[in-house]
Amino acid sequence: MSIKAIECPDGVCHSHHGGHAVPRQTMQRNLEKHGKDWCEKLAERIYEMSVDTYSQTVMPSLHSSGWQRRHLDWEFKLAENDSEPDEALVEGIINATESFLRSSEVHRLFIQELVQGTFEEANDKKIISKAIKSIIEEEIVISLREKKEILLRKISSKLVSEEKVSEELAINSAKEGFDEVERLLVNHTEAV
């Protein structure tokens, strides 16, 4: 499922998780009038405000001895261990979370996905999604499964010769790689 600001079942658009019933054509005209740049600027500003609010209100609570920190201590038994490495890990994860949310790459990808998903939802391009799903599920995945044994032998022998690993490790790695590719394809069809 893509990220989007609206959901438009039966030709009526609602803000994500409900509210504001607007006919699809009206929403589509409005989005076309504003354009993607305007939507990106709006989404960027809301994202920035959200991250700032998170940083100003949630982060201090996570660092202090408030209920959130007591819950972490209780859930992961941090107080019982009285371990400085555990505390360092907790502080590091909290700081990494804030860095992740403030990352320009995460910011850019979120905005890109949100605006693209919103425009696609308003335009009702479900037919393209169905085509993508059919190609992946009925053609690519089936073809891969039919050729699985041949592919596994080919990849494992390549790993043995190029990586100088045991045959058992090469076969197991090829199987894991094959399963991961299949999972990625299935996840992609679910996201479309």
Side-chain angles (χ1 to χ4, degrees), residues 10 53 58 94 124 169:
D10 303 321
T53 301
V58 176
I94 291 169
D124 193 22
L169 178 59

Side-chain angles (χ1 to χ4, degrees), residues 77-169:
K77 313 284 188 265
L78 297 174
E80 292 174 15
N81 297 338
D82 194 31
S83 169
E84 192 168 336
D86 290 347
E87 288 296 321
L89 188 59
V90 168
E91 294 294 327
I93 292 172
I94 291 169
N95 293 333
T97 302
E98 183 176 16
S99 295
F100 173 80
L101 291 172
R102 289 189 176 280
S103 160
S104 60
E105 184 66 11
V106 169
H107 182 147
R108 185 187 65 74
L109 289 172
F110 174 78
I111 301 304
Q112 177 183 333
E113 178 72 17
L114 177 65
V115 171
Q116 180 180 339
T118 301
F119 272 78
E120 286 174 3
E121 184 72 13
N123 290 331
D124 193 22
K125 294 190 177 177
K126 304 279 188 252
I127 194 82
I128 295 171
S129 296
K130 285 184 179 183
I132 292 169
K133 285 182 180 186
S134 291
I135 291 168
I136 292 173
E137 292 173 350
E138 297 169 17
E139 300 299 328
I140 297 173
V141 172
I142 289 173
S143 177
L144 279 173
R145 287 177 182 159
E146 288 172 352
K147 298 176 183 176
K148 183 176 182 174
E149 293 307 316
I150 295 167
L151 287 170
L152 291 177
R153 282 194 301 271
K154 184 178 178 180
I155 298 300
S156 62
S157 67
K158 183 176 181 177
L159 290 172
V160 168
S161 67
E162 290 181 5
E163 300 299 321
K164 309 292 187 235
V165 295
S166 70
E167 192 170 320
E168 182 182 357
L169 178 59

Side-chain angles (χ1 to χ4, degrees), residues 6-9 11-15 19-24 27-28 121-122:
I6 56 172
E7 295 168 338
C8 303
V12 179
C13 297
H14 307 275
S15 53
H20 302 288
V22 178
R24 184 189 298 276
M27 180 62 76
Q28 190 175 3
E121 184 72 13

